[in-house]
Amino acid sequence: MAEQVGTEANAAPAGPLDALAVAIRTLPGVTDVAIEKGELVAQAGRDGLVALMTTLRDDPRFAFEQVMDICGVDWPERAERFDVVYNLLSVSLNQRARVILHTDEAAAVPSVCGVWPVATWWEREAWDLYGIIFSGQPDLRRILTDYGFDGHPLRKDFPLTGYVEVRYDEDRKQVVYEPVKLTQDFRSFDFLSPWEAMTSLPGDEKAHKGEAS
């Protein structure tokens, strides 16, 4: 359950997390702030994202020196089907925040690699797995799938079969592409109860020796 904070009518913040939420709510580009399960979550728009993230990094009230993760979430039933989630950490103030914005398959999200250079890795991953476009990202290449891979495998409408897999062929001395084969070896199952199927226990061989003769 989300707890709304930071409105004018509310009383003074009850603790550091509430105070942080009130301060973030005043920033341009933030559309909503809530505390969900003890974590601060801020909703933001694409416009002004870089300025917002720069403030969250440089303003001493926030001091989010690090972006720990940038990831995507797919909601195919929505017009803006993707959430882009930024998990921020302030080492000096020992506080965290999550910033979430919405986008679709065509609208580009401003890259924050100029704010945190490590964001390049996370943005490449979000592009590779979800197809989320980041404008201003100078190195938007796939990072987890193979070169020439078709599609984005973490989208919920991505088909599970019908694609190709890659492997190195030792005989041909090259990388080859083959249709995905989900094979399973034939197995013989014994459906008898273990108590009925077991006719003698280990160590009882001598007891049954006379019966067999």
Side-chain angles (χ1 to χ4, degrees):
M1 179 178 294
E3 176 187 348
Q4 299 297 327
V5 294
T7 59
E8 255 79 64
N10 286 345
L17 190 61
D18 298 286
L20 176 64
V22 171
I24 288 181
R25 178 181 286 277
T26 64
L27 298 179
V30 175
T31 59
D32 190 28
V33 177
I35 297 175
E36 301 178 2
K37 297 182 179 179
E39 299 181 351
L40 190 148
V41 180
Q43 302 287 336
R46 292 190 298 269
D47 297 337
L49 177 67
V50 175
L52 171 62
M53 293 301 191
T54 302
T55 300
L56 290 174
R57 183 194 65 182
D58 297 342
D59 192 313
R61 295 175 297 168
F62 313 118
F64 288 111
E65 303 98 344
Q66 299 183 18
V67 56
M68 303 305 296
D69 184 33
I70 301 173
C71 57
V73 182
D74 187 16
W75 306 91
E77 68 279 1
R78 291 187 339 203
E80 291 186 313
R81 64 183 294 181
F82 300 119
D83 284 348
V84 184
V85 184
Y86 301 81
N87 293 299
L88 310 182
L89 170 65
S90 172
V91 177
S92 57
L93 299 180
N94 189 27
Q95 59 191 16
R96 294 177 182 268
R98 182 176 299 119
V99 179
I100 302 176
L101 59 85
H102 307 311
T103 190
D104 56 28
E105 302 175 42
V109 176
S111 172
V112 295
C113 65
V115 183
W116 299 286
V118 71
T120 290
W121 291 92
W122 308 123
E123 290 173 353
R124 284 181 61 184
E125 185 178 67
W127 153 249
D128 189 4
L129 300 181
Y130 291 96
I132 299 171
I133 304 170
F134 294 90
S135 62
Q137 171 52 255
D139 192 19
L140 201 62
R141 296 175 295 148
R142 290 188 180 272
I143 192 171
L144 293 178
T145 59
D146 186 56
Y147 298 110
F149 188 87
D150 185 17
H152 304 280
L154 284 191
R155 290 187 179 184
K156 292 182 179 177
D157 53 6
F158 184 80
L160 299 181
T161 59
Y163 278 75
V164 295
E165 59 186 357
V166 61
R167 67 176 180 86
Y168 182 77
D169 190 300
E170 186 62 37
D171 297 329
R172 298 166 60 179
K173 303 298 182 184
Q174 68 181 42
V175 175
V176 297
Y177 289 84
E178 297 175 331
V180 175
K181 299 176 182 178
L182 304 176
T183 58
Q184 180 176 345
D185 294 336
F186 175 78
R187 297 180 182 180
S188 178
F189 296 97
D190 183 358
F191 295 101
L192 290 176
S193 165
W195 303 110
E196 298 172 355
M198 185 176 293
T199 57
S200 63
L201 296 174
D204 289 348
E205 294 85 357
K206 295 180 179 179
H208 297 287
K209 187 174 182 180
E211 299 176 2
S213 59

